[in-house]
Amino acid sequence: MSSPIRVTVWNEFIHERQNKVVQAIYPEGIHATIAKALSAAGDVLVRTATQDQPEHGLTDEVLEQTDVLIWWGHKGHEGVEDAVVEKVHRKVLAGMGLIALHSAHFSKIFRRLMGTNCSLKWRVADEKERLWNLEPSHPIAAGIGDYFELPHEEMYGERFDIPTPETLVFMGWFEGGEVFRSGCCWHRGHGRIFYFQPGHESYPTYHDANVQRIILNAVRWAVPRVNIPFACPQAKPLELIKK
Amino acid sequence: MSSPIRVTVWNEFIHERQNKVVQAIYPEGIHATIAKALSAAGDVLVRTATQDQPEHGLTDEVLEQTDVLIWWGHKGHEGVEDAVVEKVHRKVLAGMGLIALHSAHFSKIFRRLMGTNCSLKWRVADEKERLWNLEPSHPIAAGIGDYFELPHEEMYGERFDIPTPETLVFMGWFEGGEVFRSGCCWHRGHGRIFYFQPGHESYPTYHDANVQRIILNAVRWAVPRVNIPFACPQAKPLELIKK
Amino acid sequence: MSSPIRVTVWNEFIHERQNKVVQAIYPEGIHATIAKALSAAGDVLVRTATQDQPEHGLTDEVLEQTDVLIWWGHKGHEGVEDAVVEKVHRKVLAGMGLIALHSAHFSKIFRRLMGTNCSLKWRVADEKERLWNLEPSHPIAAGIGDYFELPHEEMYGERFDIPTPETLVFMGWFEGGEVFRSGCCWHRGHGRIFYFQPGHESYPTYHDANVQRIILNAVRWAVPRVNIPFACPQAKPLELIKK
Amino acid sequence: MSSPIRVTVWNEFIHERQNKVVQAIYPEGIHATIAKALSAAGDVLVRTATQDQPEHGLTDEVLEQTDVLIWWGHKGHEGVEDAVVEKVHRKVLAGMGLIALHSAHFSKIFRRLMGTNCSLKWRVADEKERLWNLEPSHPIAAGIGDYFELPHEEMYGERFDIPTPETLVFMGWFEGGEVFRSGCCWHRGHGRIFYFQPGHESYPTYHDANVQRIILNAVRWAVPRVNIPFACPQAKPLELIKK
């Protein structure tokens, strides 16, 4: 039997402490809900980390023991220390998986990996989203039907300022009239990155079975295949160079 | 008649002042050689900027008047101020073209746009490079044959740690046994980026007619189509949202 | 002044002769409406061809004089001769541009170039489509706003079975709840291909100013840069091979 | 324990019967050598099929029991029946994996899936090839070092007329001066496709440990995730359409 996938679910954990609506939905925090869902899978070993912890809970030791990092942030983006972002960035390029959720589109780590603004249109209006499954053969879409619906989600609309996704797995249709590239895959360095749009804090999105299944699928997809640190070596010639 | 393309050729301009070999090849600097070649085209209006100038010669005024920025750096990467990099980054995402030459693979601006290490293998051994033209229909390959050769070039070898290029125009074959993705295109934000590998300071690469032609082609390809500043607007619904 | 772009607008021209509703919208055929709009641009020289003509109007002479071929077909797909498809295919691979409109997703030529089924969901229900502009810096989006609307269009919905587009310029939102990759670019061989979804025969889509602008933009984008016929040459070595 | 991957190794099996040099290297045929290597892996159940068999050995029953099809062809391309190609094509689009080896670049099935000429430069001159590993984190590169060498291989050189690979895993350096995209991945429909360049019949390439490892890796990568037959359904609206 193969060893379990070691996942760290990172959450800024701010809204849940300040806002009663959010607290009612996620009494122990968004990270706890996601962690619980992943733990039930059997092949995932989950820990959590939050922004208020020393080094935001992402010490060298924790990162060394992390195969896939899940990131939820919103209000606290600017407060995330550059040194921690730098370490996470290096780790992704070496092979660690990263799953950026919802408002993490504006997190320092996601923007650094993308190299773009990662801006978008937005609106909180209790509207319906329908997510279309464009790639049923992709591992992240395993078990997901032709589409699924979220009765209420924050609208995120195009143009989403990202590098063209290598794979566009899900596309969102919004009741208010917009569309969005809601599930996107990239490789950066030796690491795999998945961005997944649903998850506004005031809606019970992370309790949704399809959303939980997709995050679990993404964890399995993003598991590191290698761990290759940075190097830029001078190389001896392999063939004779004529003088 | 359309207005000329406004190009700024940026060079750290260090090797040419410190090293007699380089000085002999580029007495007025690599930027001057490139600028002269581009000026001869007729449709390009060129200025130059160097690292030792205030704001590295990239003031707001200069950037506002720049359609395409060409970048050559090597020894001075770390000395480039973050504030200038930030401005250039924003400008590229808004639409400005960027051509990163040779050792600019490790420049702050290129790494920020790529989001990866941009590392590679390297060797200076007076060896031959042959650049193969993979996309003869691409505007950057206009007028370039099936391949062309540089009698001496620094070896840059794979793995080049970059996001998969959207278009791979040139691939390098090195006498010493390596290969390299030598001409690569990306879009980031609304801007176009071309990386071109030849150009070691101790070889007369920028005097080569094929190299000059490719840089000119890249300038024409990278010209901005829009100028769209950063925005992340809250959007009113376009359709009625049911309550 | 550069010479005009030579466009051939090909139409099966069946619905317009059989159906009074379609006839009322396109009395001289869809091809005539498109041709008239393109002709007004000044830099385009347009001819038309229809399925009932000898060789479907696509003789060697016509193809030799065609820079960009626009294709509208629906009921007559199976009746298009394989020999003509073969010739058009070869011409695209050599450099000719191809713009496949609406139900041409199922044309022999488009399927041959894509290598996939090109299947989709569909519905004719007089519903609204809103097309979102994902790449305002792309030449095909020149002059198009953030989005535009068609009051009535046939619904084409995902999953659209195509190779992942190299550039996804437009994404469609449908009133009935679906999304669609409505404007897609690919390169095949040395030719450029644009698929554009709007254009059901019973709606006045090709009279729409945005649609006309996009087709004109696509023509300019798809213009051939080269004309390179098929070859698979045995090549002499460029370097000494050790024995 | 999961069920084994069912692989069919298809070979035209012509050179081995006509040419003593080839016979000496592959006395039971290229297919037998590949099948033996795959069988040793433990998780693969292999059968073989050859062109001279009824339906080329690819009956409905065989295809139904095939997860991944490996294809080696050269002299017999034109003799492969279109009806068989059509069936294989449909099966790949529904989810079956396909691994096209060496001269299969010109097979009917590969060309149909690519939509391009799949032409290239070539030369048989007993020269060395070095294959560079561009994506060490890709499953197909598992266990492969920075590069590996084949003392003698047929030269295949650019431009290789293929759609831009979604992932370029290996790049070949040839002693005679050329380069080649030697290991390329695509998705078409719901199926995965890998093209792998080494394997000229007069060299013992399929006895090489790295080559065998890569083919095994590709089999595991290409295993179907779904089996979705062709459909182009009329769809009921999911939302109310205003009249």
Side-chain angles (χ1 to χ4, degrees):
Chain A
M1 197 201 132
S2 55
S3 46
I5 306 170
R6 299 165 304 170
V7 173
T8 300
V9 184
W10 190 93
N11 182 13
E12 58 172 39
F13 200 22
I14 300 176
H15 289 291
E16 300 94 321
R17 286 159 164 168
Q18 294 180 348
N19 182 322
K20 301 226 157 170
V21 174
V22 183
Q23 210 168 65
I25 304 170
Y26 301 111
E28 295 168 82
I30 282 173
H31 53 296
T33 299
I34 294 173
K36 199 177 154 193
L38 290 175
S39 295
D43 59 342
V44 182
L45 193 66
V46 192
R47 72 168 88 206
T48 63
T50 54
Q51 192 162 348
D52 57 350
Q53 295 173 328
E55 300 185 55
H56 309 317
L58 298 173
T59 60
D60 287 351
E61 205 194 335
V62 167
L63 283 176
E64 265 157 44
Q65 295 169 12
T66 299
D67 294 319
V68 179
L69 179 63
I70 297 178
W71 195 277
W72 199 101
H74 182 215
K75 291 186 77 155
H77 289 326
E78 286 314 303
V80 176
E81 289 168 31
D82 287 338
V84 172
V85 176
E86 174 66 27
K87 278 199 306 185
V88 173
H89 187 213
R90 218 157 38 216
K91 195 88 203 303
V92 171
L93 297 183
M96 184 177 73
L98 180 78
I99 300 173
L101 295 175
H102 189 60
S103 41
H105 73 93
F106 259 172
S107 61
K108 286 184 177 177
I109 181 62
F110 185 67
R111 294 176 81 171
R112 181 179 292 216
L113 282 159
M114 295 294 106
T116 57
N117 283 315
C118 304
S119 50
L120 43 77
K121 293 191 185 63
W122 63 276
R123 172 178 66 235
V124 180
D126 298 351
E127 72 195 277
K128 186 199 290 189
E129 178 179 9
R130 180 178 295 109
L131 289 107
W132 287 93
N133 178 359
L134 263 60
E135 300 297 348
S137 72
H138 194 282
I140 295 183
I144 304 299
D146 219 25
Y147 65 86
F148 69 97
E149 298 179 1
L150 297 169
H152 291 143
E153 193 37 86
E154 180 177 4
M155 188 283 292
Y156 274 13
E158 297 284 349
R159 184 175 184 258
F160 187 15
D161 181 34
I162 45 171
T164 295
E166 291 163 20
T167 313
L168 176 57
V169 186
F170 300 110
M171 208 194 286
W173 175 101
F174 285 93
E175 191 181 356
E178 287 85 0
V179 293
F180 197 69
R181 288 172 287 180
S182 292
C184 302
C185 300
W186 299 266
H187 291 76
R188 286 297 180 268
H190 304 292
R192 295 179 173 198
I193 300 161
F194 182 60
Y195 174 78
F196 192 43
Q197 158 265 317
H200 187 61
E201 65 274 5
S202 69
Y203 303 125
T205 299
Y206 296 114
H207 294 287
D208 180 88
N210 281 301
V211 169
Q212 290 183 356
R213 177 68 195 264
I214 288 166
I215 295 173
L216 174 61
N217 288 343
V219 161
R220 289 172 178 162
W221 171 80
V223 76
R225 272 72 182 168
V226 294
N227 182 4
I228 303 179
F230 174 85
C232 193
Q234 189 172 10
K236 293 233 166 72
L238 299 160
E239 303 287 334
L240 186 72
I241 295 170
K242 280 165 265 173
K243 295 295 168 180
Chain B
M1 197 202 131
S2 55
S3 47
I5 306 171
R6 299 165 304 171
V7 172
T8 301
V9 183
W10 190 94
N11 182 13
E12 59 172 36
F13 200 20
I14 300 177
H15 290 290
E16 299 94 322
R17 286 161 164 168
Q18 295 181 348
N19 182 323
K20 301 225 157 170
V21 173
V22 183
Q23 210 169 65
I25 305 171
Y26 301 111
E28 294 169 83
I30 282 174
H31 53 293
T33 299
I34 294 172
K36 197 178 155 195
L38 290 175
S39 295
D43 58 343
V44 182
L45 192 66
V46 192
R47 72 167 88 205
T48 63
T50 54
Q51 191 160 349
D52 56 351
Q53 295 173 328
E55 300 185 55
H56 309 318
L58 299 173
T59 60
D60 287 351
E61 205 193 336
V62 167
L63 283 176
E64 265 157 44
Q65 295 169 11
T66 300
D67 294 318
V68 180
L69 179 63
I70 298 178
W71 195 278
W72 200 101
H74 182 215
K75 291 186 78 153
H77 289 327
E78 286 314 302
V80 176
E81 288 168 33
D82 287 338
V84 172
V85 176
E86 174 67 26
K87 277 199 307 184
V88 173
H89 187 213
R90 216 156 42 215
K91 195 87 203 302
V92 171
L93 298 182
M96 184 179 73
L98 180 77
I99 300 173
L101 294 176
H102 189 59
S103 40
H105 73 93
F106 259 171
S107 62
K108 286 184 178 177
I109 181 60
F110 186 67
R111 294 176 82 172
R112 182 180 289 216
L113 281 160
M114 295 293 106
T116 57
N117 283 315
C118 304
S119 50
L120 44 76
K121 293 189 186 64
W122 62 278
R123 173 177 65 237
V124 181
D126 297 352
E127 71 195 278
K128 185 199 289 188
E129 178 180 8
R130 179 178 295 108
L131 289 108
W132 286 93
N133 178 358
L134 263 61
E135 299 298 347
S137 72
H138 194 282
I140 295 183
I144 304 299
D146 219 25
Y147 66 87
F148 68 97
E149 298 179 0
L150 298 169
H152 290 143
E153 194 37 87
E154 181 177 3
M155 188 284 291
Y156 273 15
E158 296 284 347
R159 182 175 185 260
F160 187 16
D161 181 34
I162 45 170
T164 295
E166 291 162 22
T167 312
L168 176 57
V169 186
F170 300 109
M171 210 193 285
W173 176 101
F174 285 93
E175 191 181 357
E178 287 85 359
V179 293
F180 197 69
R181 288 172 287 180
S182 292
C184 302
C185 300
W186 298 266
H187 291 76
R188 287 298 180 267
H190 304 293
R192 295 179 173 197
I193 300 161
F194 182 60
Y195 173 78
F196 192 43
Q197 158 264 317
H200 188 60
E201 65 273 7
S202 69
Y203 303 125
T205 300
Y206 296 114
H207 294 287
D208 180 87
N210 282 301
V211 168
Q212 290 183 355
R213 177 69 195 263
I214 288 166
I215 295 174
L216 173 61
N217 288 342
V219 161
R220 289 171 178 162
W221 171 81
V223 77
R225 271 73 182 169
V226 294
N227 181 5
I228 304 179
F230 174 86
C232 193
Q234 188 172 10
K236 292 233 166 72
L238 301 160
E239 303 287 334
L240 185 72
I241 294 171
K242 281 165 265 172
K243 295 295 169 182
Chain C
M1 199 202 131
S2 55
S3 47
I5 307 170
R6 300 166 302 171
V7 173
T8 300
V9 184
W10 190 93
N11 181 14
E12 59 172 38
F13 199 21
I14 300 176
H15 290 290
E16 299 95 322
R17 286 160 165 169
Q18 295 181 347
N19 183 322
K20 302 227 158 169
V21 174
V22 183
Q23 211 168 65
I25 304 172
Y26 301 111
E28 295 169 82
I30 282 174
H31 53 296
T33 300
I34 293 173
K36 197 177 156 196
L38 290 175
S39 295
D43 58 343
V44 181
L45 193 67
V46 193
R47 72 167 88 204
T48 63
T50 55
Q51 190 161 349
D52 56 350
Q53 295 173 329
E55 299 184 57
H56 309 317
L58 299 173
T59 60
D60 287 350
E61 204 193 336
V62 167
L63 283 176
E64 264 157 44
Q65 295 169 12
T66 299
D67 295 317
V68 180
L69 179 63
I70 297 179
W71 196 277
W72 199 101
H74 182 215
K75 289 187 79 152
H77 290 325
E78 286 315 303
V80 176
E81 289 167 31
D82 287 337
V84 172
V85 176
E86 175 66 27
K87 277 198 306 183
V88 173
H89 187 213
R90 217 157 39 216
K91 194 86 203 302
V92 172
L93 297 183
M96 183 178 72
L98 180 77
I99 299 173
L101 294 176
H102 188 59
S103 42
H105 73 94
F106 259 171
S107 61
K108 286 184 178 177
I109 181 60
F110 186 66
R111 294 176 81 171
R112 181 180 290 216
L113 282 160
M114 294 294 106
T116 57
N117 283 316
C118 304
S119 51
L120 44 76
K121 295 191 184 64
W122 62 277
R123 174 177 65 236
V124 181
D126 298 351
E127 70 196 278
K128 185 198 291 187
E129 178 180 8
R130 180 178 295 108
L131 289 106
W132 286 93
N133 178 357
L134 263 60
E135 300 296 348
S137 73
H138 195 281
I140 295 182
I144 304 299
D146 219 24
Y147 65 86
F148 68 97
E149 298 179 1
L150 298 169
H152 290 144
E153 193 38 85
E154 180 176 4
M155 188 285 291
Y156 273 14
E158 298 283 348
R159 183 175 184 259
F160 187 16
D161 181 33
I162 45 170
T164 296
E166 291 163 21
T167 312
L168 176 57
V169 186
F170 299 109
M171 209 194 286
W173 175 102
F174 285 93
E175 191 181 357
E178 286 84 0
V179 293
F180 197 69
R181 288 172 287 180
S182 293
C184 302
C185 301
W186 298 267
H187 292 76
R188 287 298 180 268
H190 304 292
R192 296 179 172 197
I193 300 160
F194 182 60
Y195 173 78
F196 192 43
Q197 158 265 317
H200 188 62
E201 65 274 6
S202 69
Y203 302 125
T205 300
Y206 296 114
H207 294 287
D208 180 86
N210 282 301
V211 168
Q212 290 183 355
R213 178 68 196 263
I214 287 166
I215 295 173
L216 173 61
N217 288 341
V219 161
R220 289 171 178 163
W221 171 81
V223 76
R225 272 73 183 170
V226 294
N227 182 4
I228 304 179
F230 173 84
C232 193
Q234 188 172 11
K236 292 232 166 72
L238 301 160
E239 304 287 334
L240 185 72
I241 294 170
K242 280 165 266 173
K243 295 293 169 182
Chain D
M1 199 201 130
S2 55
S3 47
I5 306 170
R6 300 165 303 171
V7 172
T8 300
V9 184
W10 190 93
N11 182 13
E12 60 173 37
F13 200 22
I14 300 176
H15 291 290
E16 300 94 322
R17 286 161 164 168
Q18 295 180 348
N19 183 322
K20 300 226 159 169
V21 174
V22 183
Q23 210 170 64
I25 304 171
Y26 301 111
E28 295 169 84
I30 282 174
H31 53 294
T33 300
I34 293 172
K36 198 178 155 196
L38 289 175
S39 295
D43 58 342
V44 181
L45 193 66
V46 192
R47 72 167 87 206
T48 63
T50 54
Q51 191 162 348
D52 56 351
Q53 296 172 328
E55 299 185 57
H56 309 318
L58 298 174
T59 60
D60 287 351
E61 204 193 338
V62 167
L63 282 177
E64 264 157 45
Q65 295 168 14
T66 299
D67 294 318
V68 179
L69 179 63
I70 298 178
W71 196 278
W72 200 102
H74 182 213
K75 290 186 78 152
H77 289 327
E78 286 315 303
V80 176
E81 289 167 32
D82 287 338
V84 172
V85 175
E86 175 66 28
K87 277 199 307 184
V88 173
H89 187 214
R90 215 156 42 215
K91 195 86 204 304
V92 171
L93 297 183
M96 184 178 72
L98 179 78
I99 300 174
L101 294 176
H102 188 60
S103 40
H105 73 93
F106 258 171
S107 61
K108 286 184 178 178
I109 181 59
F110 186 66
R111 293 175 83 171
R112 182 179 291 215
L113 282 159
M114 295 293 106
T116 57
N117 283 316
C118 304
S119 50
L120 43 77
K121 294 190 184 65
W122 62 277
R123 174 177 65 235
V124 181
D126 298 350
E127 71 196 277
K128 187 198 289 186
E129 178 181 8
R130 180 178 294 108
L131 290 108
W132 286 93
N133 179 358
L134 263 60
E135 299 297 348
S137 73
H138 195 281
I140 295 183
I144 304 299
D146 220 25
Y147 66 86
F148 69 96
E149 297 178 1
L150 297 169
H152 290 144
E153 193 38 86
E154 180 176 4
M155 187 284 292
Y156 273 14
E158 298 283 348
R159 183 174 186 259
F160 187 17
D161 181 34
I162 46 171
T164 295
E166 291 163 22
T167 312
L168 176 57
V169 186
F170 300 109
M171 209 194 285
W173 176 102
F174 285 92
E175 191 181 356
E178 285 85 0
V179 293
F180 197 69
R181 287 172 288 181
S182 293
C184 301
C185 301
W186 298 267
H187 292 75
R188 285 298 179 269
H190 303 293
R192 294 179 173 198
I193 300 160
F194 182 60
Y195 173 78
F196 191 44
Q197 158 264 318
H200 187 61
E201 66 275 6
S202 68
Y203 303 124
T205 300
Y206 295 114
H207 294 286
D208 179 86
N210 281 302
V211 168
Q212 290 184 356
R213 178 68 196 265
I214 288 166
I215 295 173
L216 174 61
N217 288 341
V219 161
R220 289 172 177 161
W221 170 81
V223 77
R225 272 73 183 168
V226 295
N227 181 4
I228 304 178
F230 174 85
C232 193
Q234 187 172 12
K236 292 233 166 70
L238 301 160
E239 305 286 334
L240 185 73
I241 295 170
K242 280 164 266 173
K243 296 294 168 183

